[in-house]
Structures are given as structure tokens and as C-alpha cells.
Amino acid sequence: MTTTSHAPTLRTDIPARIDRLPWSRFHWRIVIGLGTVWILDGLEVTIVGAVASRLTEPGSGIDMTAADIGLAGAFYVAGACLGALFFGQLTDRYGRKKLFMITLAIYLVATVATAFAFAPWYFFLCRFFTGAGIGGEYSAINSAIDELIPARNRGQVDLAINGSFWVGAGLGALASLPLLNESLFPANIGWRIAFAAGALIGLGILLVRRHVPESPRWLFLHGRVEEAERIVDQIEAEVHAETGGELPPPAYVIVVRPRGNVRYRDLVKTAFKRYPNRAILGLSLFIGQAFLYNAVTFDLGTILSGFFGVSSSAVPYFMMLFAFSNFLGPLLLGRLFDTVGRIPMISSTYLGSAALVAVLGLLMRQGSLTASSFMALIMATFFLASAGASSAYLTVSEVFPMETRGLAIALFYATGTAIGGITGPVLFGQFIHSGQVSLVATGFFIGAAAMALGGIAELIFGVRAEGKPLENIATPLTAEEVEANPQRQGEIQAARELGRDTEQQHLDARARNMRILRRAAERAEHERRGLRRFRPGPGRAFYSPGQIGTAGTTSRWHAASDEELDREVDAIDRALDRHGPTRVSTLARYVGSRFWGPGRFGRALREAEAEGHVERLSRDNYRPGGPPRGGSRPVSASGR
């Protein structure tokens, strides 16, 4: 990267260098160090759901009603909303790393304090500050993850990380089993230990996070260019030492001008004047998932106890089943958000879960459900809803300029969650307290409508962001300022020169582009056959403009995920052509698939088989199919 003579304008290839990295231990460290915040959130929310019925029983040490449980959930969500707004602005001002350390410390103090609750008001206060710490984490963590994970893996990784909420939920439910057993712990002690246990996990995460670097994207936007370069150099050196392969040249260069801090009014102006459709989309997704999720999660224990006769000590078993289905959704469906695409997957998960919730409400009103059938429908509903809810965070963090990323996540999370996440638990808590099944069913109908609105908004306003660099999805504000300044045109042209292809690279890119177009046409024809043409969602034919002023093939050709898939298929084809019939495990080692990212080898192998480049001999053996593909640039042993 070089600076221009007209400081403070900068040319940088840092985003492209981050996106070209093969999957490595560094990325797993990001996932573990940052993604585990959702485990804490899941632990907190589920512990309240699991111990809710115990808190309403005599001898618990605190006098609370079912309505108080719903109110406590509302205080937690209110704290998360205000914490996101407050710490979100600080995230963009002082950096991702400082804030995700501070907010985790706030969580640790508040959750330990909850264990000493003696009255409802004190419990509400502790839940508020616990939520504030978690809400602040959302802005810092989502920003850092999206800015450090390569574009081709961003959707799957982001959804899996957000889905890890339910790992915490399962742990919370599992821990509650012995803690709610009165033969082991008194009624007024067990639930207190459950809250204190969250602090131990948080402390471990705090230690891991010390080794997570600051976001280089944030650093160069704030003029700290040398520090950003040093961090990226260290990451590349670590990845090179692990993979042993050479990294491809950066695909593009951007021109930016470091600027001061962005205020909320600047963000609102950017969101609702420059990107009004994306603003409506973000609000709709957050309101829908926040209403349904917070209402059901906070009140599931009291629904099971009050309407299906489940004892308070048995509630954690049901909570574990609930958590299991929620975690499987993002884990199994996440890769489809990078392959099938954001719009079809987000709309189908929202609309599909809305339909199931409506069925649930109808059957509950008719009195046709048992505890088992109720849980079966809940699990099916939230298998879809969990992937959809996780995609709301992914969407908002992708579709706004990087200078406003932390603020955008905070604003849309806080606004959407304040509308849906506070009203949901309060409303459901009152419905449950009334003891009327018809009112609880009505609550489910409201939740179904909220999710359906989110799905419809995605169909209308969704953005095809799969596989695209963040700077291509939403042009940085500073890059637009540079583009609009006539004095900077020479610099932009120079930046483009840095990313210009050689003639052979251009021919290779054209050949690859033709293969991608053919593959897309075949998929489109496949989707038009039979009943598949009636599936919800608008399909794959969506255009998303590239960033003004970016250089290289990324802005001229297809999404980076399509190019990566073509290179991976090419690597498999060449490996089989070189080695002959090969077992799957050996083939994966030949192409270095562990550096491609989670789930990518399996997809590339299926694509190669479908295109006739490889042929299956048995369940785990393949051989070369037709002639090797021509016109492709040779790849290294790592498949890169």
C-alpha cells in the first residue's frame, strides 16, 4: 500500500489481502475468540428460561411472578438495546478490540451480581446491565468478524457464529438440571449458581481475546496505516508458514480518505437517504426475529409448566431440545447463504418459520397439542428461524459502508429489538399470566406475522452480498468522497493501474467467466423444472453493483464465491488427472482443502462430478471423468 502526495488520501489493498487468505488457524482463532460471545448470550437467556418456574415458587429466595419473568426479559433486552447504541458509537470511534474487551468485562460483573439477587427490582437492574454488556458486544464482534473473515466464507461463518448462541443455551439448560435438583441444592441456591457459572465462561473468553488483533480495515480508515499493514503482514506470514503456498496477488485496490468519527445523525442520513431500502430491510429483519425469539425463549419454561404440566425440574430437558434444533439450523443451512444466495435463503427461512408458527398457534387454540407435539413444532419452527435470525446480523453488518458498520449494527439491532424484543416478552408474559390458551395462541400469530413481514422485506429489498468484498456491497463513504473530487481522478486511475491484469490473466479470467455463466445457466434451467419453480424466493438472478473506483476482476466479473468455486473444481480436476483414482480423504489432502474453509471441499467435489470432470467409483473413491478443463491457470497444491 502506498500513500498519495495529497495526504491524507490513501490507496490500499488491505481488504483484498484479507479476502484472498486461505482458511487457517488464524480464522479459527477469530471464530473462537470472538464468536463465543453468543454462547454467553445463549447461556444468559436460557438460564432465565430454565429457572423461570423456580423463581416463581415459594422458597426460591426471591418473590417473582410469571409476569415478572417476562418483565425481567424486557429489562435484559432494553439493556442490550441501549448498550448497543452506546458502545456501538464507541466501537467505530475507538476500535473493535478495545470495545469487545470492555463490554465483556461489564457482562462479567453484572452476571455475578445477578447471583446475589434478593428482590425483583435488584434482579431487573442486574439483568439490564448484563444485557448492556451483551448488546455492546454485538456491535464490536459482528464488525470485527465480518472485517476479518474472507468474503467467500463470510455468510457461513457469520451464521454459525451467531448460531453458537444455542450452544450456550444448551449448556445453560444442561447446567440447570443438577442446579434445580433440590436434593443437591436448596431451592434458593441452585439458580444463583447457574448465573455465577456464566462468569467463568466469560473469563476464559477474555483470556483468548487478548490474541485477537484489531481490524486492519478499521485501522486504515482512521489513518493508522502502518499498524494496519503490520497486522496484515503478520497474518500473511502466519498463513504462509501454515499452508506453505504462495498467496495470489490482491484482486483490487481502493482509494480512501481517513475521516473523523461518524455520528448517529450521519448514520441515519446515510441509511435512510442513500440506502432507504436497506434501512427498511434491516428494521424488518430485526423486528421479526426479535419479537418471536425473545418472546418464546424467555417464556418457554413458563408455557411448558403452565399449559402442559411440565415440572420445573424437567424444563431444562425441553430447553436442551430447543437449543439443539436452533443450533442445527445455522450450522446446516449456513453454507447455502454463500452458495444459493442471501435473498432466497433469508426469505425462505423467515417465511417458512412464519408458516410453522401460525400452525402452532392454530393447533394450540384448538387444544390439539401435547407437550411432545408442542416441542416438535417448536423445534421445526426454530430450525428455520434460527438461521433467519442469524442472517439479520449478517445483513446489517454487510450492506452499509464500513465507516458506519458498528453504528449500523447498533442502531438497527437496538431499534428492531426495542420494538420486537421488549414487546414480545412483556406481551407473552401477560398472556401466560392470564392462563388463557387462546391469548397465548394469539401471541404466536403475532410472532408469525412479524416473521412474515421480514421475509417479504427480503424478497423486495434484499441485497445479493454472497461472496462479495464488503467494499463492493457498500462503497466506503471516504471512497465516494475521493471519487467525487476531480483532483483525485489521477490517483484513482493509478490505483486501477496497480490492479490491472496481464493479457494471460485476462484470458484466464474470461475462460473462468464463461464457465461460471454456463454453470449459472444450468442451475437456472434446473430450478425451472418440476415443482422447484414454485419454491418461495426470487431465485438467483440478482444484480449487485460493484464499488466505484475498485480495481481488478472482482468488480468486472462474477461474485468472488463463484470464482473461488471454479478454482476449487479446477484443483480437484487437476489432482485426479495427475494421480488417477483417489480416495476422498487423500484427494482432500492433495488439493489442500482444509485451507478452503468449512464445507467448501464437499461442494466443489459435487460440482465437479455434476459437470463430468470427475467420476465416482465407490462411496469414497473418485477418478478423472472427461478431459481436463482448458483455459485455466494452474493452481498450487493448496488449491489456491
Side-chain angles (χ1 to χ4, degrees):
M1 196 221 72
T2 59
T3 60
T4 70
S5 59
H6 301 282
T9 302
L10 306 169
R11 286 200 306 269
T12 180
D13 58 5
I14 283 177
R17 292 169 65 187
I18 294 173
D19 284 335
R20 70 176 174 167
L21 291 173
W23 192 263
S24 64
R25 285 192 294 265
F26 166 75
H27 298 104
W28 283 119
R29 193 160 64 244
I30 297 299
V31 170
I32 295 171
L34 300 184
T36 41
V37 63
W38 277 267
I39 294 178
L40 292 179
D41 193 9
L43 188 70
E44 285 298 316
V45 172
T46 310
I47 280 179
V48 173
V51 307
S53 54
R54 174 59 51 85
L55 296 176
T56 62
E57 295 174 355
S60 66
I62 188 169
D63 185 18
M64 298 184 72
T65 65
D68 288 334
I69 298 299
L71 188 58
F75 269 97
Y76 177 84
V77 175
C81 292
L82 294 176
L85 289 172
F86 178 73
F87 293 114
Q89 188 169 7
L90 300 182
T91 294
D92 282 334
R93 180 179 299 178
Y94 297 113
R96 313 325 189 191
K97 183 167 185 175
K98 286 183 180 178
L99 267 296
F100 63 59
M101 299 295 282
I102 292 172
T103 51
L104 183 57
I106 292 173
Y107 161 82
L108 289 172
V109 173
T111 195
V112 170
T114 308
F116 296 94
F118 56 88
W121 68 265
Y122 180 88
F123 188 83
F124 298 155
L125 185 66
C126 292
R127 297 304 294 162
F128 176 85
F129 282 104
T130 303
I134 292 294
E137 288 270 288
Y138 286 153
S139 297
I141 298 304
N142 273 299
S143 300
I145 288 172
D146 284 351
E147 291 169 4
L148 289 168
I149 296 296
R152 65 186 178 277
N153 304 117
R154 189 172 59 240
Q156 180 179 4
V157 171
D158 204 298
L159 260 72
I161 286 175
N162 278 277
S164 68
F165 173 99
W166 298 103
V167 175
L171 291 174
L174 183 64
S176 299
L177 287 173
L179 296 175
L180 293 179
N181 188 336
E182 293 189 40
S183 64
L184 297 176
F185 297 98
N188 65 334
I189 296 297
W191 65 267
R192 300 180 188 276
I193 299 176
F195 282 107
L200 295 178
I201 299 177
L203 186 60
I205 295 172
L206 194 66
L207 296 176
V208 174
R209 283 189 183 175
R210 294 182 305 165
H211 304 289
V212 174
E214 179 59 87
S215 165
R217 281 177 158 110
W218 181 87
L219 287 170
F220 77 69
L221 276 177
H222 287 76
R224 296 163 61 177
V225 182
E226 293 183 359
E227 187 176 351
E229 290 277 4
R230 184 171 63 254
I231 289 175
V232 176
D233 288 343
Q234 290 171 352
I235 295 171
E236 289 178 339
E238 178 184 339
V239 171
H240 176 73
E242 180 182 350
T243 64
E246 294 298 325
L247 295 172
Y252 59 93
V253 176
I254 65 172
V255 184
V256 296
R257 179 189 298 126
R259 60 177 293 169
N261 299 312
V262 177
R263 296 165 295 185
Y264 273 110
R265 67 182 183 185
D266 297 323
L267 170 62
V268 173
K269 180 180 177 181
T270 299
F272 289 95
K273 288 191 175 181
R274 184 171 301 176
Y275 299 108
N277 291 346
R278 299 183 182 190
I280 295 172
L281 172 64
L283 286 175
S284 301
L285 294 179
F286 267 110
I287 291 172
Q289 64 88 21
F291 183 94
L292 183 65
Y293 256 98
N294 287 283
V296 172
T297 305
F298 281 117
D299 296 303
L300 183 58
T302 48
I303 292 175
L304 289 167
S305 298
F307 294 92
F308 295 101
V310 176
S311 66
S312 61
S313 59
V315 165
Y317 292 104
F318 289 88
M319 297 298 292
M320 282 191 290
L321 292 174
F322 180 64
F324 180 70
S325 66
N326 275 274
F327 180 58
L328 280 184
L331 188 66
L332 298 181
L333 300 178
R335 68 182 183 86
L336 301 179
F337 286 74
D338 283 326
T339 55
V340 174
R342 302 284 199 266
I343 298 174
M345 289 307 301
I346 295 174
S347 59
S348 60
T349 52
Y350 268 77
L351 293 173
S353 59
L356 289 173
V357 171
V359 171
L360 177 63
L362 182 62
L363 293 177
M364 193 166 189
R365 183 183 290 272
Q366 294 175 348
S368 305
L369 295 174
T370 63
S372 298
S373 59
F374 171 78
M375 279 304 302
L377 268 174
I378 284 286
M379 290 173 66
T381 297
F382 285 89
F383 175 84
L384 295 177
S386 181
S390 297
S391 69
Y393 295 92
L394 171 65
T395 298
V396 171
S397 66
E398 285 182 326
V399 301
F400 293 102
M402 72 171 76
E403 296 93 334
T404 66
R405 184 161 293 123
L407 286 171
I409 297 168
L411 179 64
F412 286 93
Y413 166 78
T415 305
T417 305
I419 296 172
I422 295 178
T423 57
V426 172
L427 195 62
F428 260 76
Q430 295 298 331
F431 287 164
I432 296 168
H433 187 63
S434 72
Q436 299 181 38
V437 175
S438 60
L439 285 179
V440 177
T442 300
F444 282 114
F445 291 141
I446 297 173
M451 290 295 285
L453 287 175
I456 293 170
E458 180 65 30
L459 286 173
I460 298 173
F461 303 121
V463 178
R464 186 187 175 191
E466 59 273 11
K468 294 183 181 295
L470 294 171
E471 294 74 25
N472 268 37
I473 301 169
T475 305
L477 299 177
T478 51
E480 291 185 344
E481 291 173 359
V482 172
E483 179 77 9
N485 189 339
Q487 297 178 355
R488 305 301 186 192
Q489 296 303 311
E491 297 170 3
I492 294 171
Q493 182 61 34
R496 289 174 175 152
E497 292 292 336
L498 288 178
R500 180 168 293 170
D501 298 333
T502 66
E503 184 63 25
Q504 184 58 50
Q505 288 173 329
H506 181 75
L507 292 175
D508 291 345
R510 181 175 295 279
R512 176 170 291 115
N513 188 55
M514 293 301 103
R515 290 194 296 270
I516 291 170
L517 285 172
R518 185 183 68 250
R519 187 180 296 126
E522 291 172 354
R523 286 176 184 158
E525 177 63 27
H526 177 72
E527 291 177 354
R528 285 194 293 267
R529 295 173 187 163
L531 296 178
R532 284 183 292 271
R533 65 183 185 274
F534 299 113
R535 290 185 302 182
R540 298 176 56 85
F542 288 89
Y543 172 72
S544 183
Q547 177 200 329
I548 298 172
T550 29
T553 59
T554 303
S555 60
R556 294 200 299 271
W557 304 103
H558 284 262
S561 59
D562 292 327
E563 295 186 4
E564 289 295 331
L565 175 63
D566 189 78
R567 291 189 181 96
E568 290 158 3
V569 171
D570 197 34
I572 290 173
D573 183 30
R574 290 174 181 270
L576 286 175
D577 186 57
R578 183 181 305 120
H579 298 285
T582 307
R583 294 177 62 88
V584 172
S585 57
T586 305
L587 179 61
R589 189 173 67 253
Y590 284 155
V591 300
S593 64
R594 70 188 183 96
F595 303 121
W596 292 359
R600 295 195 63 90
F601 174 72
R603 187 199 173 201
L605 186 58
R606 289 190 297 272
E607 194 72 42
E609 183 180 8
E611 294 180 2
H613 302 301
V614 305
E615 187 176 320
R616 186 195 296 263
L617 291 174
S618 62
R619 186 178 63 86
D620 61 348
N621 276 275
Y622 285 83
R623 70 179 181 186
R629 304 195 309 173
S632 295
R633 181 173 53 202
V635 292
S636 67
S638 67
R640 306 294 305 168

